[in-house]
Amino acid sequence: MSGSPQQTRRVILASLVGTSLEWYDFFLYTTASALVFGKLFFPSLDPFYATIAALASNAVAFVARPLGGIVFGHYGDRVGRKTVLVVTLLMMGVSTFLIGVLPGYESVGILAPVLLAVLRFVQGLGLGGEWGGAVIMTMEHGDPRRRGFNASWPQVGVPAGFVLATALLALLSLIMPNAAFLAWGWRVPFLLSGVLVLVGFWVRRRVTESPEFTEVDTKGAKATMPLVEVIRTHPRALLSAFTARIGVDVAFYTFTAYILVYITTVLKLDRSVGLNAVLIGSALQLALIPAFGALSDRVGRRTVYFGGVVGAAVWVFAFFPLLETKSFPLIALAAVVALVTHAAMYGPQAAFIAELFSTRLRYSGASMGYQVAGILGGAIAPIVAVALFESFRSTLAISVYVVIALAITAIGLAIAPSPHDLETPASVPQKA
């Protein structure tokens, strides 16, 4: 059962706009934690430990995301996908705006980093509920034969949000003196979120509920305790979703967040070098993620996903040597190829994870599998990278760390059960 083509397009647009704004909010914090939060909220610490503290405050969101997945996944499977998506969007927008008006350590002392961590936690709750709903809405409205392509559009929100957030920070960093940027310039993109979220709210209010959820509701087949039932009936699917996600997260945050730390603190280059390199790669992902999602509809999810895993594992050993040339074209090449490999994993990932769970449990199951992995993936990846370099004074240790994480992802792909509740014609390859 699927919606009309017109409604499917509207849902895809709403999901893309909403997830782009939520990831814009999320990446503003991630980028700012690598560039300015250490100086503003932890000024009494040594620069190295200030960076660690800022990145640790960033990691708070990853701890909150599974909780958001549990809470909003429950209501997404109980009351519907649409309502939950409106709530999560508002949570992200309001908390991001408040970060933009938050006083620094010099004004309110220890209260400043505490409030920063609290607001980051709220962001994590919102994002924890957002991903599953956006992916499922696009997947459940569209043609079953195009689930990889349709479900990849919320994934495009990641590079779209990153491009928007990074472009604004890069522009402000370029046109403003460093003192002004640290004093107030970094706040502008956070305050802008208050306006952007109103746009996303209007777009999301116009979409209809998922037809597959409506069918479950009509039949009275909704789960009473979705998460409990997921754990009891889909343990292998949960394990597969969790492990298949870890390496993707570690690679992504090494390629997009740690690169900023490494370029500014180790190579002593201007922050704009790293920002612009990642910006170029992220812009290309806007087209590559849906392209790889569509490819997974033709050749299978695991085939495309695994190709990205292998590509990232190989490229990480060229990534840091290219950065060390201090040549912007080569640094940009390092970031671009790295994010191409990430797109190959991320494009089919949404449908791969969501298809592991039955319709009545899909929001809870997909959200939990995806979000719990973020704690051992993206939450600690930049911190581990900083610590490894500090211990070994070599990027080789970081590359090995990324490869180990990607090997775990390969195992997750290998153990995945067959897709659940798919209406796949015999002429279309099964997307295990």
Side-chain angles (χ1 to χ4, degrees):
M1 182 177 182
S2 62
S4 67
Q6 181 181 10
Q7 185 58 224
T8 298
R9 287 192 292 270
R10 181 178 293 178
V11 169
I12 288 174
L13 175 62
S15 294
L16 176 59
V17 170
T19 54
S20 296
L21 294 179
E22 295 223 17
W23 283 107
Y24 164 81
D25 293 344
F26 195 80
F27 284 128
L28 270 180
Y29 193 106
T30 300
T31 306
S33 68
L35 296 177
V36 300
F37 282 173
K39 301 179 182 70
L40 293 175
F41 292 95
F42 307 96
S44 61
L45 299 178
D46 173 85
F48 167 74
Y49 291 106
T51 300
I52 289 289
L55 292 173
S57 72
N58 176 55
V60 167
F62 291 89
V63 177
R65 280 167 62 176
L67 180 58
I70 292 172
V71 173
F72 293 114
H74 174 85
Y75 287 106
D77 283 328
R78 289 290 301 159
V79 303
R81 295 31 169 146
K82 177 182 173 178
T83 301
V84 169
L85 286 174
V86 171
V87 172
T88 58
L89 181 66
L90 292 175
M91 284 181 63
M92 285 290 288
V94 171
S95 58
T96 302
F97 179 84
L98 292 177
I99 290 173
V101 299
L102 193 64
Y105 186 90
E106 291 184 357
S107 299
V108 296
I110 192 65
L111 185 60
V114 170
L115 290 175
L116 184 69
V118 169
L119 291 173
R120 185 57 167 170
F121 187 84
V122 175
Q123 280 190 325
L125 288 176
L127 194 63
E130 162 71 21
W131 179 85
V135 164
I136 290 166
M137 280 285 278
T138 56
M139 197 177 86
E140 292 181 345
H141 269 85
D143 186 338
R145 295 169 299 183
R146 293 167 59 86
R147 285 187 168 190
F149 177 71
N150 290 339
S152 71
W153 283 103
Q155 305 284 76
V156 175
V158 173
F162 191 89
V163 166
L164 184 57
T166 305
L168 279 173
L169 285 173
L171 177 63
L172 292 169
S173 179
L174 179 65
I175 65 177
M176 298 179 68
N178 190 58
F181 179 77
L182 288 175
W184 62 270
W186 66 271
R187 297 180 183 272
V188 174
F190 285 85
L191 299 176
L192 183 61
S193 178
V195 178
L196 296 177
V197 74
L198 296 177
V199 177
F201 177 77
W202 176 77
V203 171
R204 281 206 165 158
R205 289 283 295 172
R206 299 177 67 235
V207 303
T208 60
E209 182 56 85
S210 155
E212 292 188 23
F213 174 81
T214 301
E215 184 178 19
V216 169
D217 189 21
T218 301
K219 292 179 177 179
K222 291 187 296 185
T224 303
M225 296 295 292
L227 181 59
V228 173
E229 193 169 335
V230 166
I231 295 172
R232 181 172 57 84
T233 62
H234 293 65
R236 183 177 166 190
L238 269 178
L239 180 61
S240 173
F242 171 76
T243 50
R245 170 83 175 131
I246 288 178
V248 185
D249 240 18
V250 169
F252 180 75
Y253 283 95
T254 300
F255 293 148
T256 60
Y258 181 68
I259 185 178
L260 303 179
V261 176
Y262 187 71
I263 282 177
T264 56
T265 63
V266 178
L267 301 182
K268 307 299 182 183
L269 298 175
D270 188 81
R271 60 176 170 260
S272 64
V273 174
L275 286 172
N276 290 334
V278 175
L279 185 61
I280 294 170
S282 297
L284 289 174
Q285 283 196 313
L286 298 177
L288 289 173
I289 287 176
F292 282 119
L295 182 62
S296 76
D297 285 325
R298 298 179 63 85
V299 303
R301 314 276 185 249
R302 261 191 291 211
T303 301
V304 178
Y305 206 143
F306 185 71
V309 170
V310 174
V314 171
W315 187 250
V316 73
F317 291 101
F319 181 74
F320 288 106
L322 287 173
L323 300 185
E324 288 159 6
T325 65
K326 298 186 179 182
S327 164
F328 178 73
L330 294 179
I331 291 174
L333 175 66
V336 165
V337 177
L339 291 177
V340 169
T341 67
H342 175 261
M345 296 182 283
Y346 209 57
Q349 184 185 80
F352 172 82
I353 291 176
E355 287 173 346
L356 296 175
F357 303 94
S358 57
T359 303
R360 61 195 296 272
L361 303 172
R362 187 169 287 148
Y363 206 138
S364 295
S367 294
M368 278 303 297
Y370 184 93
Q371 303 299 350
V372 172
I375 298 176
L376 295 181
I380 64 172
I383 300 171
V384 171
V386 169
L388 286 173
F389 187 82
E390 184 69 13
S391 297
F392 295 97
R393 307 308 298 179
S394 168
T395 58
L396 181 60
I398 301 173
S399 298
V400 171
Y401 163 58
V402 172
V403 169
I404 292 172
L406 289 168
I408 294 173
T409 287
I411 294 172
L413 296 176
I415 66 173
S418 298
H420 208 295
D421 284 6
L422 286 187
E423 303 168 13
T424 307
S427 61
V428 180
Q430 286 290 324
K431 322 302 188 300

